[in-house]
Amino acid sequence: MIDAIKEKLQEIEEFAIDSQDRLEEFKRRFNGKQSEVRALFGRLKEVPNEQKREMGAALNELAQKAEAKWKSAASGLVQKKSKASTNSVDLTLPSYPHELGTRHPLSLTLAEIVRIFERIGFNISEGPEIEDDWHNFSALNFPENHPAREMQDTFFIEKNPDMLLRTHTSSVQVRVMENEKPPIRTLSPGRVYRNEAISARAHCVFHQVEGLYIDKDVSFLDLKETLAYFVKELFGPKTKMRFRPSYFPFTEPSAEVDISCFICHGDGCNICKKTGWVEIGGSGMVDPNVLKSANIDPEEYSGFAFGMGIERITMLKYQINDLRLFTENDVRFLRQFKGII
Ligand code: PHE
């Protein structure tokens, strides 16, 4: 019996535990209820009575040694594992490529428009998208129940017909006129809403930027010069501009603004529908009634205003033929604007 115990002790001591599998094998053979050590305990009953004490003690010692070896091997393996994971960082590996983000084309265009007007002293003003009738229509000289209100395909708020989704950012200019004293030179960019079916050329949600300049002796010439400067900055120095007479309730006289087609330079292409001109927005001298609504004396002050669609300008500038691309968030489209600021 004593020889069997010694033999088992030697086996235990020589058993190399260098992996999780070996650790489990060790436990199965020497620690558990079904282990070889337990089996030796079973043989105690064959031992003569006078030797039982001695053998029992030797067996207990054997079991304790097996237990101690298992414990220290188990904690050693855990340490080894965490050491291995820190060592596994390969500092020589090249890093993941840093993908440059892209700005949305509408943001690019707006940023450029803002930069151009900031250079000549315009500041930026913003206002609410849910507007009241006064700021979107009445203060802008839209007569009550006048079909001019229909021009704008308004979304009214059902529960309160006095409230609506603004149809243009002219509403912001009313707010500026109410709150500030002339001289006023402000640019109002923002999202606007009109009840239009979504197609390649129209959307019910789009963006505008409108400009307003009010001071003493502001003339139509100032309007023309300001816009001529703007189109040359944005579309290139060769760009020509023309005015076509138009109508807006809030400006008198009013003009639609066209620029010479910067793609074919007048030779005729699809963008200008072979006319050599493309429309970019509306403009005019602020109607005296609008100034009066905002408590500005039309005898003392005059002003001009203009407005344009950011989608339209962006489509012209980057030759994009479908407005829906702006809202679909297709990365194949958006990635093409990488690197532009
Ligand atoms: N607010 C007009 C529109 O949305 C554009 C415009 C602004 C026209 C200023 C003239 C002057 O259609």
Side-chain angles (χ1 to χ4, degrees):
M1 179 75 182
I2 194 75
D3 290 340
I5 293 174
K6 278 190 183 149
E7 216 174 279
K8 204 49 69 192
L9 184 63
Q10 200 177 348
E11 274 177 51
I12 287 173
E13 278 168 354
E14 282 171 4
F15 192 101
I17 306 177
D18 51 11
S19 69
Q20 198 63 32
D21 285 350
R22 291 284 285 172
L23 183 72
E24 267 153 36
E25 192 187 335
F26 182 91
K27 184 173 180 151
R28 199 169 55 245
R29 283 188 57 190
F30 305 117
N31 294 134
K33 283 216 173 103
Q34 313 283 327
S35 67
E36 294 163 23
V37 174
R38 278 293 137 202
L40 284 177
F41 274 96
R43 281 173 56 191
L44 255 187
K45 55 183 179 298
E46 299 160 16
V47 172
N49 274 348
E50 64 278 12
Q51 286 181 23
K52 272 203 166 95
R53 237 181 110 91
E54 197 190 337
M55 289 300 136
L59 274 173
N60 275 334
E61 202 181 322
L62 181 71
Q64 273 163 17
K65 280 203 169 135
E67 179 74 15
K69 175 157 177 163
W70 180 83
K71 264 196 187 148
S72 83
S75 72
L77 272 183
V78 172
Q79 268 177 25
K80 207 165 152 193
K81 214 169 161 185
S82 62
K83 228 180 173 174
S85 61
T86 30
N87 283 346
S88 71
V89 176
D90 181 353
L91 296 172
T92 64
L93 272 182
S95 62
Y96 289 114
H98 248 305
E99 272 239 36
L100 204 59
T102 48
R103 297 181 76 187
H104 194 279
L106 295 178
S107 307
L108 289 173
T109 306
L110 175 60
E112 202 173 343
I113 295 173
V114 167
R115 279 200 296 270
I116 292 170
F117 280 101
E118 271 178 348
R119 288 208 286 277
I120 52 170
F122 278 73
N123 63 16
I124 308 297
S125 46
E126 288 181 323
E129 289 178 25
I130 302 173
E131 247 320 348
D132 51 31
D133 180 278
W134 171 257
H135 291 97
N136 197 81
F137 289 130
S138 297
L140 286 162
N141 200 35
F142 281 80
E144 196 91 24
N145 302 320
H146 190 278
R149 288 175 191 239
E150 299 296 311
M151 258 167 66
Q152 308 242 338
D153 297 311
T154 315
F155 283 116
F156 290 95
I157 308 279
E158 238 176 50
K159 293 216 166 96
N160 181 355
D162 189 50
M163 299 300 286
L164 44 90
L165 297 180
R166 69 179 178 197
T167 60
H168 49 187
T169 54
S170 307
S171 55
V172 181
Q173 313 197 324
V174 174
R175 290 177 179 276
V176 173
M177 286 189 284
E178 284 173 345
N179 293 318
E180 287 172 28
K181 296 248 161 305
I184 291 170
R185 247 179 286 176
T186 194
L187 207 61
S188 319
R191 195 175 290 143
V192 298
Y193 302 83
R194 292 187 195 181
N195 190 1
E196 298 209 30
I198 297 172
S199 72
R201 309 197 64 85
H203 206 293
C204 53
V205 185
F206 57 101
H207 299 78
Q208 272 194 337
V209 53
E210 300 216 353
L212 175 73
Y213 177 30
I214 298 175
D215 204 347
K216 290 184 175 143
D217 303 321
V218 176
S219 71
F220 202 81
L221 179 65
D222 295 317
L223 169 62
K224 236 179 150 173
E225 286 297 320
T226 305
L227 290 179
Y229 152 79
F230 164 69
V231 299
K232 284 194 164 60
E233 289 293 310
L234 191 69
F235 293 105
K238 290 208 186 100
T239 316
K240 290 197 205 94
M241 183 188 78
R242 75 174 184 189
F243 277 167
R244 264 180 303 114
S246 186
Y247 168 76
F248 299 102
F250 34 89
T251 47
E252 184 60 37
S254 305
E256 222 106 32
V257 187
D258 293 347
I259 58 168
S260 57
C261 184
F262 52 95
I263 291 154
C264 67
H265 299 289
D267 295 343
C269 69
N270 281 339
I271 301 270
C272 65
K273 297 196 203 99
K274 307 216 184 324
T275 63
W277 294 93
V278 285
E279 185 194 318
I280 60 160
S283 68
M285 300 306 292
V286 180
D287 193 291
N289 284 340
V290 174
L291 296 175
K292 270 189 231 156
S293 300
N295 288 324
I296 294 174
D297 182 1
E299 299 294 327
E300 195 182 350
Y301 292 104
S302 56
F304 67 70
F306 58 87
M308 55 202 142
I310 300 176
E311 277 81 353
R312 174 147 183 85
I313 304 272
T314 311
M315 286 169 90
L316 290 173
K317 204 168 152 55
Y318 297 108
Q319 296 174 43
I320 297 162
N321 58 11
D322 193 328
L323 198 94
R324 290 168 291 198
L325 285 163
F326 292 129
T327 42
E328 279 166 355
N329 281 337
D330 185 334
V331 288
R332 289 169 304 176
F333 169 69
L334 297 174
R335 281 202 182 124
Q336 294 177 53
F337 299 90
K338 196 176 270 189
I340 309 175
I341 31 173

